[in-house]
Structure formats: C-alpha cells, structure tokens
Amino acid sequence: MKKVRENRNLIFTKAFESAEDNYIPDLDIPSSNLDDIIPKNLLRDNLPIPDVPEVEIVRHYTDLSQINYGVDSGIYPLGSCTMKYNPKINEKIVKLPGFSIIHPLQKKNEGAILLMEELSQLLHKITGMDAFTFSPAAGAHGELTGMFILKKFFEQNGNQKNKIIVPDSAHGTNPASAKMAGFSIIELNSNEHGEIPLEELEFAMQEGDVAGIMLTNPNTLGLFDRNILKITEIVHKYDGLCYYDGANLNPMLGICRPGDMGFDILHLNLHKTFSTPHGGGGPGSGPVGIKEGLIQFLPEPYFIGNEKIDKEKINISHSIGKMKSFWGNFGILVRAYAYIRALGKNGLSRVGKVSVLNANYLRKRLQEFYHLPYQRICQHEFVLSDKNFPNKITAEDIAKRILDYGIYAPTVYFPLIVDGALMIEPTETESKEALDYFAETMIRIYQETQNKPEFVHKAPHNTPVGRLDAVLAARKPVLKE
Ligand SMILES: *Cc1c(COP(=O)(O)O)cnc(C)c1O
C-alpha cells in the first residue's frame, strides 16, 4: 500500500515538473511562407463566414446542449456500449498540466511514462495478460492490432494458417478486423443456449488452416460461455491462438480474468469499462494485452505489466510496426488509471457484481412483458425482442416511445441473431430508483402497445424532432448554419 502511494505521488510530482520546465524542443523545420507550403490553387481568396454576435452563438450552443441527452442527464441503457457514468474526478486529473500540455518529444516525461507502466501493471492484475500496447485508438483498432500480431506469429513460424473462427454472437467489428488483417472468416452459429457448439468448433479446427478464434465474451447476447475453458483447450490442441474481445469487461472486473481462461491476446475498451465519456464516436483507447510468448510482435511503445518478466531480455525484432503516433490517446489512459486507483481491488469487483445484478434485476422485471429469447442469467446486459407484440409494434416503436419519457433508447436490431432485438445494459452506476423508473416506463409502454398502438407507432411526441429518416440523414446530411 505504501509503495503504491509513493509511486502515485511520484507520478504527480514528475508530471508537474515536466509541465513546469519548458522542455519543448526548438522548431527544427524551416519556417516558410504559406504560399510555398500550400499550392496556390488550393488557397481561397475569400471565405464567407457568417457574421453573428457572440451572444447569439452562446445561446445557440446552450440551446443545443439543452436538447441534447447524455449520461449526465439520465439513464443510458445502450447495450454493447457500456455508457456508464464517468466520475468527474477523472476529468480533473486529466486536465492537470503535467498530463494535458506535455508533448511526447519533450525531454522530461517521466510522470507520463510511469503512469503507463503502472497502468500496464494494473491491467496485468485485472486481465492476467503479461504486456500491453496502448497504441490502438479504439476497440476495433485494438482488434486489428491483435489480428496483425496473430498473423505475424504464424508467419514467423512458417505457418500458412489463414482462417479465423468468429461466432455469430461476436461483435460486428470482429469479423471485419480479421478480414482487414487478411484472414478469411469461418462463422460458427451459436446453439440454443447462446453458446459455441463444441463439436462444430473442433470440426472446424481439424481442417488445419485455422489460425484461431475471436471470441466476444460475454457475447453480444450478454451471456457468458460456460464452456470457455473447453473452447480455448480445443483451439490450442490444434495449434490455434485465442483472441478475447474484452470491450465489455465490466461484469468480469475483479471476478475472473481472460488470461486465466487460456486466452493469448485481448483488447480492452478503456473508454467503456474504465470510464471515459465516449458519446459521438471518440476518441477511444483499445489497449491490446498479450501473453509472454507474443511480446516480440508488439508495436512500440509497449509496457510489460508482469513484473516477473525480465525486461532486459525482451526484443521486439518481429514487431508488427507502429499502429499510431506516439503514445496513443494518452488522456484516456490517465482517466483509466485514475478510475482504477480510485476504486481499488474491492471497488472494481463491486463494479463487476453490481453491473450483473442491475442487468438481472431489469431482466427479471421485464421478461414478464417482453419476449426474452435466451432464458438464462445474464452478465452486464440482456436482449429482449419484439416478438409477440400486439398490433405490429416493432422494436423501433418502443425505442422511439421511450424518448417521450426522458430516457435514452436501448440498442435496437442488434445483435443480428435476434429478430427485433432490444439490447439493454443498465451498468453498475444506476441506482435502484433509476432502474425502477426505466422498468416501469418499459412496462407502461407495453400497456400502451395494447391500448393505443397508433400512438406508439407515431412516437416520439415530445422531442424537438419526430421520426427521422436516419439513413437519409447520414447519407445526405442537410447542414445549415
Ligand atoms: C464497442 C465494442 C467494440 C468496438 O469498439 P470501438 O471502440 O467502438 O471500436 C468491439 N467489441 C465489443 C464487444 C464492443 O462492445
């Protein structure tokens, strides 16, 4: 404990020192005329910028912020994305000048480096993986990094394995990442329990050209695969590697570790599990953790989290190369560090337990009214469906109507393996009162689908805009000042 406190103090002291000393190097590229840098035909003569008084701008943005909805306004039950409340202390810490105005090229950066070293040690304890790269800028980028590592491993061993098994309950980014790294995909259909059929897995592995499996666990149905140890055993038996999509690590925190389940590579989503606000698409951080035998393939910079490994002996001669400039999205690493340190071991395992408890509480309350395709205890999230709804009510109708009650909608029509899916993740940060309000609203909407279905079909009624053509809005946005 004492050592932990000393180290933490050292990080903050060093961080302050680096901010105070002005160690940013002198400009070493010739400063020149704009015309020399940008070709004349790309420069414009005039730029019509609207002329509006400051106060109008302030009112405009204040208006927008007040019709916006975020996790600071209310519950955000978006499945597969862990939209939990992010403690404000993280934001304070990341704004310390020693973290926010430093540059990776300045001469003194010990505070930042020490923070990343310690973060990798903490993530080692949490996941059981030995070393980490913090380069990836999001979960999907982490998957791509992991797939490159996996590919290089087989190339290095003179092996031509070029296929990856991806279950149909995986996150959609999994097959996309494996494909981008040059693998072809073997899709495995889940069984009636939402789990991987072991015989089919073994059958696929026997072909001999399968490099491994990419497993989202808990999967996109919010279910933990109870055969997880058998799965990794089968894949290893045929010389494959096991990749763990740990984007939604919430329910595992302090309870169990992918590294102990036989996984060789994983990615985490620090912006989900380890608390960074991430609405609107970014920035994120998707560190990749690997077992000792794969260290030589890591991109730089990398950090050894397992203190038993002798750092002097490491060589990364077979690195896959850079995945992002400098340290990745450093601010998110600071937030994750602050979050883990604030909670400690016991706090983290409470996060794990309460995220599961909250989801199961909602599941139990709602399954009397909504169809629950997989009748099992769930992890941090669960999937309902619009099957059996009266009056042709769809998942979209429910999602739109819930906005009228001042709640954000659940994820709809994902995962694809459930028709008309409504995917709900309350997270551990919601109180019982908030969960009850959500459950009672969903039940009231269920009653409305029977009593006044037309009204539900036309929802939302109280929002600034009604039903938008979401596809058209994305493809042909009409932007105005
Ligand atoms: C969110 C998520 C991803 C993708 O992460 P991004 O940061 O959005 O790229 C991958 N897998 C799972 C299970 C996820 O929930």
Side-chain angles (χ1 to χ4, degrees):
M1 199 52 214
K2 184 152 171 288
K3 182 161 175 279
V4 168
R5 210 172 300 134
E6 276 167 12
N7 264 356
R8 185 189 52 201
N9 291 345
L10 188 61
I11 287 181
F12 290 134
T13 320
K14 293 286 181 196
F16 272 119
E17 275 175 19
S18 16
E20 276 166 13
D21 297 333
N22 187 2
Y23 273 110
I24 295 177
D26 293 333
L27 185 66
D28 59 358
I29 50 166
S31 56
S32 54
N33 196 314
L34 201 60
D35 293 354
D36 299 340
I37 303 171
I38 304 175
K40 266 221 146 45
N41 62 337
L42 295 181
L43 288 171
R44 58 194 143 188
D45 296 328
N46 79 339
L47 179 62
I49 291 177
D51 194 3
V52 187
E54 179 176 316
V55 63
E56 294 301 332
I57 297 281
V58 170
R59 285 177 189 156
H60 172 68
Y61 284 107
T62 305
D63 248 8
L64 289 183
S65 77
Q66 286 169 351
I67 56 177
N68 206 359
Y69 188 91
V71 76
D72 291 351
S73 334
I75 183 171
Y76 211 114
L78 210 54
S80 195
C81 209
T82 309
M83 300 299 272
K84 61 165 108 177
Y85 172 74
N86 302 289
K88 298 294 174 250
I89 183 79
N90 296 355
E91 301 306 309
K92 265 201 156 142
I93 289 175
V94 76
K95 283 190 191 115
L96 291 176
F99 295 132
S100 61
I101 60 166
I102 53 171
H103 190 282
L105 290 184
Q106 72 188 38
K107 286 185 194 131
K108 268 192 164 184
N109 269 324
E110 284 98 329
I113 306 278
L114 197 57
L115 182 136
M116 290 187 279
E117 281 173 1
E118 270 203 33
L119 181 60
S120 78
Q121 289 159 12
L122 294 167
L123 294 179
H124 160 66
K125 291 199 180 107
I126 291 169
T127 64
M129 302 317 259
D130 292 320
F132 290 85
T133 168
F134 295 125
S135 295
H141 196 202
E143 292 167 22
L144 185 66
T145 306
M147 285 297 110
F148 281 155
I149 291 173
L150 202 137
K151 193 147 190 259
K152 195 94 188 229
F153 168 82
F154 285 108
E155 277 169 13
Q156 207 53 43
N157 292 320
N159 203 311
Q160 296 299 314
K161 292 177 189 281
N162 59 0
K163 291 186 183 145
I164 292 280
I165 295 175
V166 184
D168 63 355
S169 59
H171 195 264
T173 46
N174 290 186
S177 303
K179 181 95 191 162
M180 274 184 87
F183 290 105
S184 48
I185 313 298
I186 304 176
E187 191 183 52
L188 268 196
N189 294 331
S190 322
N191 62 22
E192 70 276 21
H193 309 295
E195 294 174 314
I196 293 178
L198 296 179
E199 313 74 53
E200 285 172 41
L201 174 65
E202 179 134 18
F203 185 73
M205 287 306 300
Q206 279 165 357
E207 294 291 304
D209 53 358
V210 180
I213 190 167
M214 262 186 119
L215 201 71
T216 301
N217 191 54
N219 63 25
T220 54
L221 298 163
L223 301 175
F224 188 96
D225 201 310
R226 291 166 291 191
N227 296 316
I228 198 103
L229 295 176
K230 291 203 188 104
I231 293 170
T232 54
E233 192 187 310
I234 292 172
V235 174
H236 285 154
K237 184 162 110 190
Y238 296 95
D239 298 325
L241 290 182
C242 298
Y243 183 96
Y244 190 98
D245 179 335
N248 295 305
L249 207 71
N250 251 20
M252 308 308 194
L253 284 181
I255 311 287
C256 59
R257 312 191 309 169
D260 300 333
M261 301 173 200
F263 284 88
D264 306 289
I265 314 179
L266 63 60
H267 83 268
L268 304 171
N269 275 20
L270 295 187
H271 48 290
K272 292 181 183 169
T273 312
F274 298 95
S275 101
T276 279
H278 62 281
S285 175
V288 169
I290 44 106
K291 283 287 178 64
E292 188 173 2
L294 295 170
I295 291 179
Q296 54 178 316
F297 305 108
L298 279 174
E300 273 190 297
Y302 63 89
F303 296 88
I304 308 297
N306 183 349
E307 285 169 278
K308 293 200 189 101
I309 295 176
D310 183 358
K311 291 185 194 163
E312 302 303 315
K313 295 218 179 95
I314 287 170
N315 112 27
I316 54 157
S317 46
H318 299 122
S319 166
I320 58 166
K322 275 259 181 214
M323 289 303 289
K324 194 173 186 332
S325 56
F326 299 117
W327 302 333
N329 285 331
F330 178 69
I332 296 174
L333 310 182
V334 179
R335 289 178 178 91
Y337 178 85
Y339 178 74
I340 296 170
R341 269 285 137 84
L343 284 169
K345 194 170 174 221
N346 294 338
L348 282 182
S349 69
R350 237 181 99 74
V351 167
K353 289 175 190 159
V354 178
S355 72
V356 173
L357 179 66
N358 280 3
N360 281 288
Y361 177 71
L362 280 186
R363 175 182 64 79
K364 276 298 249 193
R365 286 208 64 181
L366 295 178
Q367 73 184 43
E368 284 174 48
F369 304 91
Y370 289 77
H371 176 240
L372 178 75
Y374 295 87
Q375 308 266 342
R376 276 180 57 189
I377 288 189
C378 64
Q379 297 290 304
H380 60 301
E381 64 191 4
F382 60 100
V383 179
L384 301 172
S385 93
D386 64 13
K387 195 174 159 187
N388 307 337
F389 268 151
N391 305 315
K392 296 206 173 93
I393 294 285
T394 64
E396 186 183 12
D397 295 331
I398 305 291
K400 295 297 181 193
R401 180 64 182 139
I402 203 166
L403 304 179
D404 286 331
Y405 291 98
I407 302 181
Y408 199 83
T411 298
V412 286
Y413 301 112
F414 182 82
L416 302 177
I417 49 177
V418 172
D419 281 336
L422 285 150
M423 190 188 199
I424 298 168
E425 177 184 4
T427 79
E428 72 283 359
T429 52
E430 294 306 326
S431 64
K432 176 151 182 304
E433 289 71 23
L435 297 178
D436 282 332
Y437 180 64
F438 178 75
E440 276 146 27
T441 305
M442 288 288 282
I443 294 166
R444 190 183 306 176
I445 294 173
Y446 168 77
Q447 285 152 358
E448 288 175 354
T449 63
Q450 300 189 314
N451 308 335
K452 41 180 183 174
E454 271 320 298
F455 192 69
V456 180
H457 274 309
K458 293 207 178 87
H461 302 281
N462 307 336
T463 52
V465 287
R467 277 202 201 197
L468 303 172
D469 183 334
V471 177
L472 193 68
R475 296 277 177 267
K476 289 199 175 135
V478 182
L479 304 174
K480 52 184 185 175
E481 286 159 13

